Structures are given as structure tokens and as C-alpha cells.
Amino acid sequence: MTTPLMINQAATTGLSSSCYDDLNALASRLCRLGGGLSVFDAGGKLLFSADAGGCTEPDGGAVPFVLEQVAAFGQPVVFCGADAEIPACVYEADAKTRLVLMGKTPLCGDAAALEREKQYVAWILEGFARSSLQGRKVLMQIEKIGHELSQAYEEIILLYNLSTHMKVSQSTPAYLQLACDELTQLVQVEGIGIFLDRKHDGRKTLTLTAGAGVMRI
């Protein structure tokens, strides 16, 4: 049996170790069934290949077809090849890297057995594709929640600092200046200012009451 995908090849392709773990596990499972796995980049270049021996290597020329079919119909697995004999799926290693995985079906003596083996490989690829998609959704939700918690924490810190430093005898400009100083510690800006609407000689004008940094007025 051919050795599955090697982790130490990550340095040459830029994929993370977790991606290699996932791909190795998938390749090992297919190899135990007598089949194998070929991994192509989005341009059709063969990156890795593993099989139990005797399997025909899929053609990278089918990669555009796989990408197009998955995008158009949303199916986790499509069939490519001259006789639609190769099950394939798209694996998003990260936000910028898409790989096409093609399963190698074990060689069988009759057409019925070959069709069964092809379906077995397709089911395994489908399970892998769905699991990977669910994992990406969970990570996106975690990142979104983390961002929202970070924003809420900054707002709480600002309100806490303003409330603890506020004094009854404190003038309005001094308090507003405190607010500006606190904001500049939480928000990366070149300048910030607070303008109050005040009357001067019977006319309303905006007056700069507090600020920090550089501003263009």
C-alpha cells in the first residue's frame, strides 16, 4: 500500500498541519478499502496522491469541471472523467485555498462491483466534504462571536472608566475631554473632537469643546 500524504510536505505548499491531518485520515481510509486519493490545486496541479496500488491516476484536467459543477449545483460530490467514473469534491483548506479531491476506485472484475466501489468512495468523500463545511461554519460563528464580545468589552470598559472618573463638580468640557481621552485608547484614530451647539450673539454655532490628536475642520 502506498504511504498516505506526508505531513512534512506542508512547507512546500503552504497548507496547515491540520489540513494534512484531515487529508491523511481520508487517504488512509480510502487506501484500506483498496482505493486511494488524489489532491489537486484549483489550477489542476497534482499535489499529493496515495492509493493501495493498481489504481488509475485521475486527470487534473477535470478540476475546472468539478469546481464548476459544485458551484452551480451545490452538491458535495460530483462525478468526473470520461465515463463519470471518478467521484470528486472541493475542499476549502482556508479562506484562500481550494483543493479538489478525487477518489480512486479499486479495480474490479465486473461492472456491478465497480459501480458499488465507486459509490462507497463517493459516500466517504461526501461525508468528508460535509464535515469540513460544518467545521468552517462553526469557526466562522466562533470568530463572529469573538468579535462581538470584543466590541462589547470595549464599550463596557469605556462606560466604566467614564462613570468612575465622573465627578459632580466636574465641568462639562473636562468631562468631555475625559471621554475623548478614553476613546483614543480604545479606537485607533488620528484625531477626535466633540462639538457643542452654543449660542453666540444670538446665533447658534458649533464650538469645539474637547478633543485629542489631529483633526481637519
Side-chain angles (χ1 to χ4, degrees):
M1 181 179 294
T2 303
T3 303
L5 318 178
M6 299 301 294
I7 297 296
N8 60 11
Q9 289 176 308
T12 62
T13 63
L15 298 181
S16 65
S17 295
S18 62
C19 292
Y20 278 88
D21 291 341
D22 293 341
L23 293 174
N24 266 305
L26 176 61
S28 297
R29 186 177 180 186
L30 291 173
C31 286
R32 287 196 297 270
L33 294 176
L37 177 70
S38 294
V39 181
F40 298 86
D41 65 13
K45 177 183 178 182
L46 178 64
L47 300 179
F48 317 106
S49 180
D51 60 61
C55 297
T56 302
E57 188 66 49
D59 183 7
V63 166
F65 172 80
V66 174
L67 292 172
E68 178 184 341
Q69 292 297 303
V70 170
F73 301 103
Q75 296 295 327
V77 173
V78 299
F79 292 89
C80 60
D83 299 316
E85 75 281 8
I86 303 173
C89 70
V90 177
Y91 173 62
E92 294 189 12
D94 52 49
K96 298 180 179 179
T97 306
R98 289 194 304 169
L99 305 177
V100 171
L101 314 183
M102 296 187 187
K104 301 179 185 180
T105 303
L107 297 178
C108 302
D110 61 275
L114 181 61
E115 182 64 24
R116 287 196 301 270
E117 294 295 339
K118 183 178 73 173
Q119 291 301 327
Y120 291 153
V121 173
W123 289 336
I124 293 174
L125 284 181
E126 180 176 351
F128 179 83
R130 292 188 183 278
S131 176
S132 299
L133 178 60
Q134 184 62 32
R136 289 196 302 274
K137 288 182 178 179
V138 170
L139 287 177
M140 290 175 63
Q141 291 175 348
I142 292 175
E143 291 177 358
K144 181 180 179 180
I145 292 173
H147 179 67
E148 292 176 352
L149 288 175
S150 176
Q151 287 183 321
Y153 175 76
E154 292 179 351
E155 293 173 1
I156 292 172
I157 290 297
L158 174 61
L159 292 174
Y160 172 78
N161 289 339
L162 292 178
S163 62
T164 54
H165 290 85
M166 184 173 59
K167 300 177 182 178
V168 176
S169 59
Q170 194 172 29
S171 66
T172 299
Y175 182 70
L176 294 178
Q177 183 60 50
L178 172 64
C180 287
D181 295 338
E182 292 293 337
L183 279 171
T184 54
Q185 296 182 29
L186 296 176
V187 183
Q188 298 296 322
V189 294
E190 292 184 359
I192 186 172
I194 299 178
F195 293 81
L196 295 183
D197 191 1
R198 291 182 174 177
K199 285 187 176 181
H200 182 69
D201 294 334
R203 298 173 56 189
K204 286 186 176 181
T205 59
L206 291 177
T207 304
L208 178 62
T209 307
V214 179
M215 292 187 302
R216 180 178 296 177
I217 302 175

